[in-house]
Amino acid sequence: MVKRGKRIVSKILCATVLFTMTAVPGAVFAESDEALEAADTGSKAVETEAPDAANEAAQTEQKAAAPAAQKEETKAPAQESQAAPKAQAAKSQAKDSQVATHSFDGVTVSVTPADKRNGNTITACKGTVTLKAVLINGSDGTYDYTWYKKGRIVNTIVGTNSSYTPDDNGAYYVRVNRRWDFKLGKESETITVNFENHNAIAAGAKAATCTEEGHSAYWTCNKCGKLFENASATKEITQIPTIPKKPHNITTHAVNLDATCTTDGHLEHWACTSCGALFWDQAGTKPATEAEVTIPAAHTWEADYTVDNEPTCTTTGSKSIHCKNCDATTSEQTIDMLPHTLTKTEAKAATCTEPGHDAYWTCEICKQRFADENGKELIPEIIPTDPLGHDLKLVEKVDATCLKDGHEAYWECKTCGKIFADEACQNELEAPVVIKATGHKFGDWKVVKDPTVGEAGMKERVCEKCGYTETEAIPALDAAKEKLAKATADKANDDSAKTGDDMNVALYSLLALLAASGAVGAAYRRRTTEK
């Protein structure tokens, strides 16, 4: 009975594994290598891994169906001996036929939205995160994608779609196996998902009009952009809850109105008082446009031109076509100016101090001046030519003499002959500044010829500045007076001679004394030198 129970458990395990791999493509099996091995090894796996369970199953079955078991006991060994090899061969053939020949080098995880990823962590609103297994150098084929959260299987996907949407915070990774190959799987990095609350921003209700839909109040998360119908962001909606447009309120009726020169007219039509939309009928079934109902304003023009402004020699005139019904004009044209009536003013040459000017012409009618005889080049004012300026020469200063006046230095214009006290021509002079003659400055009189008795003498004096000599006669001497003067002079000479003799004796004595002193000094010096 124990052996029978073991066989039954083995069959149940094999059937379970086969059903999982064939009938339920999305079922969890990425971590069931032990189960597959147990099915392949049959009762050996049961004996080594679950003897207690087999015994319990056998005992239960024996109690529940003891009579049937006794009848089948003799048949079972033969049937099982024939069925076991066939089942094992079929299972092996099925597995071998579905093991893929494709391969891959590894697996990584891409995250949506990518901008919310920071390394291997993503922080985003709940319901917005999608994890996708991406094979590294993977060939085409069917793979088993098993998603884990903290080591616990949360989803298994068979096929080519490897995306998984987590619904809770946690650390997620994926294990990928080739289809039916449970031993050569590869695992991705771990992605930590942190969900944060939606930040719902209210959009108030908007009433519908006849031109625009409205909407009910809704909330938008400013983090992920999802829409919600409540402020707590628990009831997600896929689109804005719109309110249909209202019907037009067509109550305005416009009858035919003729256009004028300046005001548009219009054809009969109806209008919505709410939005202003136009219609050809009151029911609002035939829309119309502003251009379609409008009769444009229009003028009735005369055939010929009317002169509006007569031309002059300074302004152009104008003419235009006038409207017969109003003051409007069109097709304005310019009438050329009239020619000037010009009189020439001859050119004036500039002087040293006065400007000149070129020749010009003046219109007798408008009084404007022109630089040419054809009246083309207007000159607002006469343009003077610059004064020539004085052509100066310096007249040096002439000093006054004893008898002749001099003058100060001055500048004289070679062109106009004017004279100036300064080179800048700021002080004009009527005549040079005169330096008056100084007159002679004589020295003392000198007698050049003594007068004698009966004959006059001569004396002279010389001017110290110019050397002019002035002479003057000395009257002749009187004989009596001359005799008396001589006697007086002789007596004076005698007295002078006597006084001179006494002075000579004293002088000679002094000279002798000085000579003796010199001799003594010389002898003393000789003796000192010899020693």
Side-chain angles (χ1 to χ4, degrees), residues 287-303:
T289 65
E290 187 73 28
E292 290 172 340
V293 302
T294 300
I295 303 173
H299 294 284
T300 303
W301 303 109
E302 295 178 346

Side-chain angles (χ1 to χ4, degrees), residues 26-45:
V28 176
F29 59 86
E31 296 295 330
S32 302
D33 292 345
E34 293 88 348
L36 182 59
E37 291 174 359
D40 292 338
T41 57
S43 61
K44 186 182 295 184

Side-chain angles (χ1 to χ4, degrees), residues 325-347:
N325 301 321
C326 68
D327 295 332
T329 59
T330 188
S331 303
E332 289 83 359
Q333 292 188 3
T334 299
I335 303 174
D336 293 337
M337 290 189 298
L338 301 177
H340 292 285
T341 302
L342 300 175
T343 300
K344 183 179 181 181
T345 300
E346 297 295 339

Side-chain angles (χ1 to χ4, degrees), residues 374-501:
N374 296 319
K376 301 296 184 183
E377 185 180 350
L378 178 66
I379 51 175
E381 57 182 354
I382 299 173
I383 301 174
T385 57
D386 293 334
L388 300 176
H390 294 291
D391 184 11
L392 299 175
K393 69 175 181 179
L394 175 64
V395 178
E396 300 290 347
K397 177 181 179 181
V398 176
D399 293 328
T401 65
C402 297
L403 301 177
K404 185 178 180 181
D405 292 340
H407 60 77
E408 297 288 351
Y410 63 88
W411 281 261
E412 182 179 7
C413 177
K414 298 177 184 178
T415 304
C416 65
K418 291 184 179 181
I419 62 175
F420 302 90
D422 58 323
E423 189 175 7
C425 301
Q426 298 297 315
N427 298 311
E428 185 178 353
L429 302 174
E430 293 183 0
V433 177
V434 176
I435 302 174
K436 293 294 184 179
T438 60
H440 293 298
K441 182 180 180 181
F442 291 106
D444 297 333
W445 287 101
K446 293 181 179 180
V447 176
V448 294
K449 181 182 178 182
D450 291 329
T452 62
V453 177
E455 185 177 357
M458 181 70 67
K459 62 179 180 178
E460 64 181 17
R461 60 181 180 178
V462 179
C463 177
E464 296 175 356
K465 294 187 290 184
C466 67
Y468 173 76
T469 301
E470 183 181 20
T471 61
E472 185 175 329
I474 302 174
L477 300 177
D478 182 80
K481 292 181 179 179
E482 186 63 24
K483 184 177 179 180
L484 179 59
K486 182 179 179 185
T488 303
D490 288 341
K491 183 177 184 302
N493 288 335
D494 290 341
D495 293 340
S496 175
K498 183 177 179 180
T499 303
D501 290 341

